[in-house]
Structures are given as structure tokens and as C-alpha cells.
Amino acid sequence: SAWLKCHHPGIFACALLNSQPMGFYAPAQIINDAKQHGVKIKPVDINASFWNNVMEADGSNGLALRLGFRQIRSMKQTESETISNTRGNGYQTIEDVWRRAGIQPYLLNILANADVFLSLKMSRREAIWQAKAISGKKVPPLFSQHWQNEFINEAMVSLPDMTLGENIVEDYISLKLSFLNKGILDKNLPLKLCSI
């Protein structure tokens, strides 16, 4: 294991994260150590993650560690498998996830709080707002277009961005770690990943 950690720190970290809970190192500590050894970490993403953490191409002939749905508190393996099995070429909206995956609205709220909708160009606050708007009643696909046309066209709500502190708190509540350190989400924030 020492050889693997030395020569393949990303694969080593991925295996440790997939073996959680181990009771010794928290996920935040494992990820922080991997970053210090040059591993690029990619967050949990609705269109790219699976249940387990995986290694994927990083775009520069290397590998990056993609965090899996297992990192999200209150998420079940069967729910994540349903999401990944029905996404096809990717989800376009939160409502798309709800309709195609057939998941309950409470799970959309869990996913929104975990900030997994970044690939949909949606901030955490926007995602939480949209997830809370979805009720449990589904409209059959045949009538969905007609049903949407019955709504009154209202102006889009402009929500203020969450503060850095609010984002860090939400990260720890949802994932037990934070991605708001320099370089993880290309936001150039000078914070270091830490465990609390």
C-alpha cells in the first residue's frame, strides 16, 4: 500500500474513500492528502458521478479523482444507481432528473444541498430553490407541455449568491468536506481543505 500511495496517490485515495467508513481518516483528510500529492479532485456531479469514487481522464493525459454519490450524507446506493442508469447523455435540468430518474423530491433537495448541479450551470442556491419547487405529483409526459403552458409567466427570481462561509457550511453538512480550496472548482479561492 505504501508503494501504491507513493506512485499512484489518486488511485490510493480513491480506494480509501470507497472503503469508508474506516474509522481512522475522515474523507476530508484523505482528499487533502491526495491534493497535496498532486491529485486533481472533481466534485460529485449529477452528470458524471456514480455511487463509488472513480478515476477519470483529467483532460491533460492524466487522471483525476471524481467523487461519487457515496460521499453525500443520506444518499443510498440504489438511488444513485437509478440516477446514473437513467441519465443517458446527461440531465439538462433538475426537473429532468426528477422525471427521468423517478426520484422523490426529498432526494432532489439532498442533491441540491450537496451542490451536484454545477455542470448544469446552476449555483447551489438556485438548485435548492428549484428543487424545493418540485412536488411529488408527476404529470404524465403526454400532458407535460400542456401543463407547463397553464402556468402564469412570472419573472425569474434573482437570488443572491451564497457567501463563502455559507457554502463551506453546506459542504460539510452534505459531504463532510469542502471543495472551496484553491483550484478545486476553479474559483481561485485561497482556502485549504480542512476537517472539522
Side-chain angles (χ1 to χ4, degrees):
S1 61
W3 183 91
L4 188 62
K5 185 179 187 316
C6 178
H7 297 284
H8 301 284
I11 295 170
F12 182 78
C14 185
L16 286 180
L17 289 169
N18 287 337
S19 299
Q20 293 287 323
M22 297 187 311
F24 195 64
Y25 291 111
Q29 293 166 313
I30 295 168
I31 290 172
N32 190 34
D33 181 69
K35 278 201 52 60
Q36 289 176 359
H37 288 88
V39 178
K40 184 175 181 184
I41 310 294
K42 293 186 176 183
V44 184
D45 185 272
I46 195 69
N47 282 324
S49 292
F50 298 93
W51 172 248
N52 281 322
N53 303 285
V54 297
M55 300 304 293
E56 65 179 38
D58 68 357
S60 59
N61 296 327
L63 293 175
L65 172 57
R66 169 69 70 183
L67 296 181
F69 290 114
R70 73 181 304 135
Q71 298 305 136
I72 301 174
R73 290 182 197 238
S74 306
M75 185 99 183
K76 297 177 184 156
Q77 184 172 356
T78 54
E79 295 167 336
S80 78
E81 288 171 351
T82 299
I83 290 168
S84 57
N85 290 339
T86 57
R87 74 179 155 219
N89 290 329
Y91 298 110
Q92 303 300 314
T93 64
I94 290 179
E95 186 178 355
D96 192 23
V97 177
W98 175 61
R99 288 185 185 282
R100 288 168 50 192
I103 59 176
Q104 296 296 318
Y106 81 89
L107 184 55
L108 290 175
N109 287 306
I110 289 170
L111 293 168
N113 280 302
D115 207 14
V116 303
F117 296 106
L118 285 173
S119 65
L120 303 182
K121 307 288 188 257
M122 194 176 301
S123 72
R124 176 181 272 142
R125 184 162 278 163
E126 285 178 290
I128 291 170
W129 181 268
Q130 288 188 26
K132 290 200 178 291
I134 294 176
S135 69
K137 186 177 180 184
K138 288 194 178 181
V139 178
L142 180 63
F143 300 103
S144 63
Q145 189 65 35
H146 174 70
W147 176 71
Q148 289 171 355
N149 291 336
E150 291 181 4
F151 283 119
I152 298 170
N153 288 332
E154 297 180 6
M156 289 296 292
V157 175
S158 177
L159 300 171
D161 288 337
M162 292 178 87
T163 66
L164 181 61
E166 289 172 327
N167 273 304
I168 290 172
V169 168
E170 286 298 327
D171 281 346
Y172 275 100
I173 289 171
S174 299
L175 302 165
K176 301 173 258 179
L177 53 95
S178 180
F179 294 103
L180 295 176
N181 63 322
K182 188 174 182 182
I184 284 190
L185 294 180
D186 299 324
K187 291 186 179 179
N188 296 318
L189 298 172
L191 293 177
K192 288 191 175 181
L193 187 65
C194 60
S195 176
I196 57 172

